[in-house]
């Protein structure tokens, strides 16, 4: 999964609007690099970030989704927590809802259910604004497993088919570096949900605390996650990740793989 951030600080036209051409050419670059899913997000979940209104978020992401949809068949996801944005993105033709808030917002399970789309449910302790204050767990994997159980039950109760769900440990969301590293190391303990696992650690601060070169660090972290059962890794650097994954897959297959 390749990250396409459509916030004014990433694809500004010089002011506070998104430059569609820049966003679409970044998407093309990811397709050329071998991306499977492009994840389009317009609300920064950076700790302490200002909240974005529904209209502002739609103005950012919907034209980008529509433009990419008309020129490629690649799967698209929308990184949003707002039910109105999910609905607009579904209408614009996305293939997957990626919600760091795990459909806890008002109306979100309903929109996801009626859209029929797959959904990634991410774990987060607290709220983006305050989550990095003092993350603490009595039982790290146990609390995250309980969270997944509760969200899966809420989704199924709302009419979402269980096999449309993807689970994500939420690397960096209300977690210390040690929590993040433990969760990747123990990723296998979430495999018994029998749902695909997604891990997003690309360029995150925990990686930056270990190495200066976050790209190299993210490649190593991504492979460690795949080795432990992740099915999807969410990354900024698509071509580099595809190359690293190809070597890892070739070792697994014991032959040269070129796809
Ligand atoms: C600032 C802080 C900007 C954090 C962006 C971020 C994930 C995600 C994000 C993840 C899933 C980033 C994050 N992270 N969705 N969206 N899993 N499913 O570093 O880990 O990209 S936003």
């Amino acid at each position: 999964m390749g990250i396409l951030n459509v916030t004014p600080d990433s694809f500004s036209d010089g002011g506070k609007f998104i430059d569609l051409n820049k966003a679409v050419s970044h998407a093309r670059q990811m397709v050329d690099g071998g991306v499977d899913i492009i994840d389009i997000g317009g609300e920064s979940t950076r700790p302490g970030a200002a909240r974005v209104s529904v209209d502002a978020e739609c103005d950012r992401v919907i034209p980008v989704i529509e433009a990419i949809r008309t020129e490629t068949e690649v799967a698209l996801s929308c990184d949003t927590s707002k039910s109105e944005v999910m609905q607009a993105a579904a209408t614009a033709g996305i293939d997957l809802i990626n919600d760091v808030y795990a459909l806890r917002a008002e109306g979100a399970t309903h929109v996801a259910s009626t859209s029929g789309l797959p959904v990634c449910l991410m774990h987060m302790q607290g709220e983006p604004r305050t989550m990095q204050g003092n993350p603490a767990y009595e039982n790290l994997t146990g609390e995250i497993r309980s969270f997944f159980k509760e969200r899966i039950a809420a989704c199924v109760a709302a009419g979402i088919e269980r096999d449309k769900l993807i689970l994500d440990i939420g690397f960096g969301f209300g977690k210390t570096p040690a929590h993040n590293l433990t969760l990747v190391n123990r990723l296998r303990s979430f495999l018994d949900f029998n749902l695909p696992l997604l891990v997003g650690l690309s360029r995150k601060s925990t990686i930056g605390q270990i190495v200066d070169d976050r790209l190299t660090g993210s490649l190593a972290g991504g492979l460690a996650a795949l080795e432990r059962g992740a099915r999807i890794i969410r990354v900024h650097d698509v071509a580099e990740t595809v190359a690293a994954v190809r070597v890892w897959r070739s070792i697994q297959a014991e032959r040269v793989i070129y796809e």
Side-chain angles (χ1 to χ4, degrees):
M1 172 184 277
I3 301 166
L4 186 62
N5 276 323
V6 286
T7 51
D9 44 305
S10 35
F11 290 111
S12 127
D13 61 350
K16 64 186 175 81
F17 296 102
I18 303 300
D19 188 327
L20 245 190
N21 292 320
K22 285 186 197 164
V24 172
S25 70
H26 186 220
R28 263 183 221 127
Q29 226 180 327
M30 290 200 276
V31 170
D32 293 343
V35 79
D36 292 318
I37 307 167
I38 297 178
D39 187 42
I40 301 155
E43 182 191 33
S44 178
T45 42
R46 187 173 291 108
R51 288 187 64 87
V52 178
S53 73
V54 167
D55 286 348
E57 195 177 328
C58 281
D59 288 348
R60 291 175 184 179
V61 298
I62 302 303
V64 175
I65 292 168
E66 289 172 344
I68 300 171
R69 182 76 302 159
T70 59
E71 68 172 85
T72 116
E73 300 269 81
V74 75
L76 302 179
S77 67
C78 183
D79 187 345
T80 189
S81 297
K82 297 187 183 80
S83 59
E84 300 90 340
V85 180
M86 283 173 199
Q87 181 57 65
T91 304
I94 59 160
D95 303 282
L96 168 71
I97 295 165
N98 175 28
D99 184 4
V100 300
Y101 210 63
L103 303 185
R104 285 177 289 164
E106 183 72 40
T109 52
H110 176 74
V111 169
S113 169
T114 56
S115 74
L117 292 173
V119 184
C120 178
L121 302 173
M122 197 196 77
H123 174 269
M124 165 166 44
Q125 184 182 77
E127 306 278 325
R129 217 167 48 77
T130 52
M131 65 189 177
Q132 292 307 107
N134 182 27
Y137 296 83
E138 268 179 30
N139 175 349
L140 178 64
T141 54
E143 288 174 37
I144 293 174
R145 289 181 59 84
S146 300
F147 176 84
F148 287 152
K149 280 183 200 153
E150 189 274 323
R151 294 317 302 153
I152 292 167
C155 289
V156 169
I160 301 169
E161 289 170 68
R162 191 185 188 278
D163 67 2
K164 293 202 168 153
L165 302 174
I166 297 167
L167 304 178
D168 184 341
I169 54 166
F171 191 103
F173 286 83
K175 287 149 193 119
T176 63
H179 293 143
N180 292 324
L181 299 168
T182 299
L183 286 170
V184 175
N185 192 37
R186 305 203 189 152
L187 200 65
R188 287 188 187 95
S189 67
F190 300 98
L191 287 172
D192 63 349
F193 283 101
N194 277 308
L195 292 172
L197 302 179
L198 187 156
V199 173
L201 51 74
S202 183
R203 297 192 197 167
K204 285 184 179 173
S205 80
T206 293
I207 302 297
Q209 294 197 19
I210 306 168
V211 285
D212 287 332
D213 182 350
R214 292 195 191 198
L215 164 56
T216 309
S218 301
L219 295 175
L223 292 183
L226 290 175
E227 186 73 26
R228 290 162 176 77
R231 283 277 300 279
I232 304 172
I233 53 177
R234 182 178 174 279
V235 306
H236 298 85
D237 306 285
V238 168
E240 294 87 346
T241 301
V242 166
V245 170
R246 192 179 289 165
V247 173
W248 174 77
R249 295 219 306 136
S250 295
I251 290 168
Q252 280 207 318
E254 303 179 7
R255 63 188 174 83
V256 173
I257 285 183
Y258 210 80
E259 282 296 325

